[in-house]
Amino acid sequence: MLKRRSWIRMCGAGAAAVLALALVGCQTVPAKAPGLTEEQQQLLRSQGFAQADQGWELQMSGKLLFGFDSAEVGAQARTKVLELGRALKGVGIERLRVEGHTDDRGSDAYNMRLSLRRAEAVADVLAEAGLARQDIEVKGLGRAMPVVPSDAAENRRVAIVVPLQ
């Protein structure tokens, strides 16, 4: 009987240890983005980037809006994009994607061209900040992904994406 009690205690202790290890394995640890250092991730967060499916994304609505039928980066927005580009380069982030968007006025073909011009204009400013132009992919998405419904000015924007490695 004594041997049986010792065996039950050992099994109970072993089961408790296995359970403890299983619980440790289930703890949530903040996800580390593949290919990015902690310093790079901290910078992205501090600049307003959020982790998304395709990488870290900064929606520039409210920060970099374009006038109706315009692809011109204004002086204030230009300063912000230059500072952002220098900060990204400073932590070794050099590959980017710039996505241009439009409101829903005009034809699909026209909006695709305009959104591409907007993305190109921002990519040019990022290149002035020291990023290699060939490492900046540009995409025109037209009116396909509005942040608000209708032809609101908030849709005339760019998004800057740090793609996953």
Side-chain angles (χ1 to χ4, degrees), residues 31-34 36 41 44-45 48-59 97 99 145 159-165:
K32 184 176 186 300
L36 293 177
Q41 291 179 62
L44 292 173
R45 283 187 203 98
F49 283 80
Q51 202 164 5
D53 291 342
Q54 298 179 8
W56 288 77
E57 187 171 323
L58 176 64
Q59 287 289 337
R97 183 173 62 247
E99 301 172 343
M145 299 173 64
I160 297 175
V161 178
V162 177
L164 296 175
Q165 303 293 339

Side-chain angles (χ1 to χ4, degrees), residues 15-56:
V18 168
L19 181 60
L21 286 173
L23 288 174
V24 167
C26 291
Q27 289 180 350
T28 303
V29 176
K32 184 176 186 300
L36 293 177
T37 67
E38 186 59 38
E39 179 186 24
Q40 290 170 328
Q41 291 179 62
Q42 286 176 355
L43 174 79
L44 292 173
R45 283 187 203 98
S46 74
Q47 293 290 329
F49 283 80
Q51 202 164 5
D53 291 342
Q54 298 179 8
W56 288 77

Side-chain angles (χ1 to χ4, degrees), residues 54-120:
Q54 298 179 8
W56 288 77
E57 187 171 323
L58 176 64
Q59 287 289 337
M60 297 291 293
S61 66
K63 298 177 182 101
L64 180 56
L65 298 177
F66 293 87
F68 177 72
D69 196 31
S70 173
E72 183 180 330
V73 179
Q76 195 172 24
R78 179 183 176 75
T79 299
K80 287 181 182 182
V81 173
L82 284 168
E83 289 171 0
L84 174 64
R86 289 179 186 128
L88 292 172
K89 184 168 176 62
V91 295
I93 296 174
E94 297 182 346
R95 276 195 29 204
L96 300 174
R97 183 173 62 247
V98 180
E99 301 172 343
H101 300 271
T102 65
D103 60 27
D104 64 0
R105 293 192 232 170
S107 71
D108 285 342
Y110 179 79
N111 281 327
M112 289 303 287
R113 288 190 306 272
L114 178 58
S115 64
L116 183 59
R117 287 190 356 245
R118 288 175 175 169
E120 292 280 356

Side-chain angles (χ1 to χ4, degrees), residues 2-13:
L2 185 58
K3 287 183 181 181
R4 186 173 182 204
R5 285 187 187 154
S6 296
W7 186 80
I8 291 173
R9 282 188 191 131
M10 280 190 341
C11 287

